[in-house]
Amino acid sequence: MRRPLVAGNWKMNLDLAQARELVKGLRDGLAALGPDARKVEVAICPPAIYLFPVAKYADGSEIKLGAQNLYYEPKGAFTGELSAAMVAETGARYVILGHSERRHTIGHLEDDRMINRKVKATIAAGMTPILCVGETLAEREAEQTLDVLTFQLTAGLVGVGLESADKLVVAYEPVWAIGTGRNATPKQAQQAHAHLRGQLREVAGNVADEVRILYGGSMKPDNAGELMSRPDVDGGLIGGASLKADAFLGIIKATLMS
Ligand code: PGA
């Protein structure tokens, strides 16, 4: 059985006081859910500069920490970048890689080769990449969705040994659904997830059946249950709705019930 993972991607949001409040709200909310809450793994991915303080706020709780990025070189003259070892020192277990905002929006657009290097550096440092893949609206309309997913997944995993499922989480994030309020339908999500698992089987054999594939893109408490109930949807990568304790907890509860 795959244990669902609900991960919050805070992106470039919140100040430190708000981060502290949010973690407190999550801790209280999870405690109120009782031991059942452990059936879902919960992670939060704050801006890098908040990793150390947020690790303290979450200390002693079940909440795991993740980073939103890192650089693949181990050290050197890379002004403004963070190595995998530095990120790991904060206590982060997960690293979001290949997010569509880094592929398509932010100045130094990342390509699959760079993402692949980051995946390797993350695993080598003992952390788990959350490798994001997803088609643009134009690609979906041109019926290229499955080809894009195949390419991004296999390119991201070139030379990566996946001997166990804890080495990887995949996130299917259709670009047209991120931050738009327009989520993929459960049927669209299931089709993409099943395809990704099939591709993963080519690379990793039976380990593919244990790797979690998250859905991301305008997931909210009211659409989470239906998405999560699909057989290959193993959790969510949540942007906007992870910034409010109530909404994030609502998604966790919907996951528990699905
Ligand atoms: P969203 O973002 O939930 O705000 O659509 C998801 C993501 O980008 O990970």
Side-chain angles (χ1 to χ4, degrees), residues 5 50 55-56 77 85 92 99 126 146 158 179 192-194 197 202 211 245 248:
L5 169 63
Y50 297 154
K56 273 202 196 144
H99 191 277
L146 301 184
V158 170
H193 285 227
R197 198 174 306 285
E202 306 275 317
V211 171
F248 197 54

Side-chain angles (χ1 to χ4, degrees), residues 4 11 15 20 35 47 50 57 61 66-69 81 91 100-101 164 183 191 193-194 201 204 238 248 251 256:
K11 308 190 181 184
D15 61 27
R20 187 206 295 254
Y50 297 154
Y57 306 153
S61 77
Q68 299 175 16
N69 186 32
E81 297 292 343
S100 84
E101 283 143 24
S164 61
N183 61 288
Q191 188 201 23
H193 285 227
R201 211 167 277 127
I238 326 295
F248 197 54
I251 291 172
L256 280 169

Side-chain angles (χ1 to χ4, degrees), residues 1 17 22 42 62 82 104 109 154 207:
M1 267 305 280
L22 177 52
V42 176
E62 294 283 322
L82 301 173
H104 301 294
L109 310 174
T154 44
V207 171

